[in-house]
């Protein structure tokens, strides 16, 4: 709240204030996120060696898994290290959800196509109620879902096969769930999540 108030005292657009607040939060959490990026870089460097290992061991999936884990331990790599940024966002997300819902400064504030940052933005109205979505579609939600999908794909490409078919569908399942969760959330929150995702993709 003090950071938000400080920024809003000198910046007239609250949408830009939220963007700057997002940059501040990402800068504050960067030391924790750095380890996951380092793990991802190591994972990328190990991919050629893992591909050679799979060619050598053929269809012996169990042995491939054992050799992969051995290689990860020797290189100091955590296969799930890329999940840290996503997990880190959860408590921050809930804190901001509470903050944006109770912040009266956001009420009636316009930004881009959003008419009210304290409520959801509407890019399309449905003539009927859609289960889970309601009677509208939010563009900020679509942007948040699309950027989350790109992040999931990137993480999957960086992570070697874990011999689990369910993992192949994770890049599609998580963003799909977000669509239903985010569509009724305040535009301020979905805008924050979109900016945060774009920063992740750029870095």
């Amino acid at each position: 709240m003090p950071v938000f108030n400080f920024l809003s005292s000198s910046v007239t657009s609250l949408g830009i204030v939220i963007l700057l607040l997002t940059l501040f939060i990402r800068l504050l959490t960067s030391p924790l996120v750095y380890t996951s990026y380092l793990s991802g870089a190591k994972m990328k460097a190990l991919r050629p060696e893992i591909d050679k290992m799979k060619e050598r061991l053929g269809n012996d999936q169990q042995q491939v898994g054992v050799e992969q884990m051995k290689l990860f331990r020797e290189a100091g790599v955590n296969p799930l290290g890329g999940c840290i940024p996503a997990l880190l966002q959860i408590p921050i997300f809930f804190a901001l959800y509470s903050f944006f819902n109770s912040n009266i400064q956001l009420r009636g504030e316009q930004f881009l196509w959003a008419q009210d940052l304290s409520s959801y933005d509407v890019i399309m109205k449905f003539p009927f109620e859609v289960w889970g979505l309601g009677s509208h579609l939010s563009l900020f939600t679509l942007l948040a879902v699309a950027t989350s999908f790109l992040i999931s794909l990137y993480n999957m490409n960086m992570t070697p096969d874990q011999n689990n078919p369910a993992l192949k569908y994770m890049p599609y399942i998580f963003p799909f769930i977000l669509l239903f969760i985010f569509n009724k959330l305040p535009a301020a929150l979905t805008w924050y999540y979109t900016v945060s995702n774009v920063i992740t993709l750029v870095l």
Side-chain angles (χ1 to χ4, degrees):
M1 189 176 292
V3 176
F4 182 88
N5 291 336
F6 171 76
L7 293 171
S8 60
S9 66
S10 54
V11 180
T12 55
S13 171
L14 290 187
I16 300 300
V17 169
I18 293 169
L19 185 149
L20 295 173
L21 181 66
T22 309
L23 291 172
F24 172 78
I25 291 171
R26 292 302 301 264
L27 186 64
L28 203 64
T29 57
S30 59
L32 297 174
V33 177
Y34 172 74
T35 55
S36 70
Y37 288 144
L38 187 63
S39 178
K42 288 181 179 179
M43 193 77 74
K44 185 177 181 180
L46 289 175
R47 283 190 72 88
E49 195 168 340
I50 292 171
D51 291 338
K52 289 179 182 177
M53 179 197 303
K54 289 179 179 178
E55 288 179 13
R56 175 168 52 85
L57 295 174
N59 294 325
D60 191 347
Q61 298 296 328
Q62 184 175 355
Q63 189 60 31
V64 168
V66 171
E67 292 292 326
Q68 273 189 15
M69 294 310 296
K70 182 181 177 182
L71 184 62
F72 292 157
R73 283 195 300 269
E74 290 174 352
V77 173
N78 179 3
L80 299 178
C83 297
I84 293 175
L87 294 174
L88 192 63
Q89 283 206 55
I90 294 173
I92 296 172
F93 181 83
F94 281 111
L96 288 173
Y97 173 78
S98 176
F99 174 67
F100 289 146
N101 269 320
S102 61
N103 193 329
I104 59 173
Q105 285 181 260
L106 295 171
R107 294 177 187 173
E109 283 291 328
Q110 297 183 5
F111 179 67
L112 298 178
W113 53 84
Q115 299 300 311
D116 184 353
L117 284 172
S118 67
S119 182
Y120 50 77
D121 63 293
V122 179
I123 195 66
M124 182 185 296
K125 289 285 283 186
F126 302 135
F128 48 84
E129 193 84 7
V130 178
W131 182 87
L133 288 178
S135 60
H136 73 280
L137 193 59
S138 160
L139 182 53
F140 276 137
T141 294
L142 292 178
L143 293 174
V145 168
T147 49
S148 295
F149 176 69
L150 292 175
I151 291 171
S152 296
L153 282 181
Y154 176 79
N155 288 336
M156 284 296 293
N157 289 333
M158 289 298 101
T159 305
D161 297 334
Q162 299 297 309
N163 305 318
N164 186 348
L167 291 177
K168 295 180 181 179
Y169 300 102
M170 287 307 294
Y172 310 99
I173 296 172
F174 179 65
F176 181 73
I177 293 172
L178 288 184
L179 176 63
F180 294 92
I181 296 173
F182 282 10
N183 199 51
K184 295 180 181 179
L185 294 182
L189 193 58
T190 47
W191 167 235
Y192 156 80
Y193 201 86
T194 300
V195 173
S196 185
N197 282 350
V198 169
I199 294 171
T200 299
L201 289 169
V202 170
L203 294 177

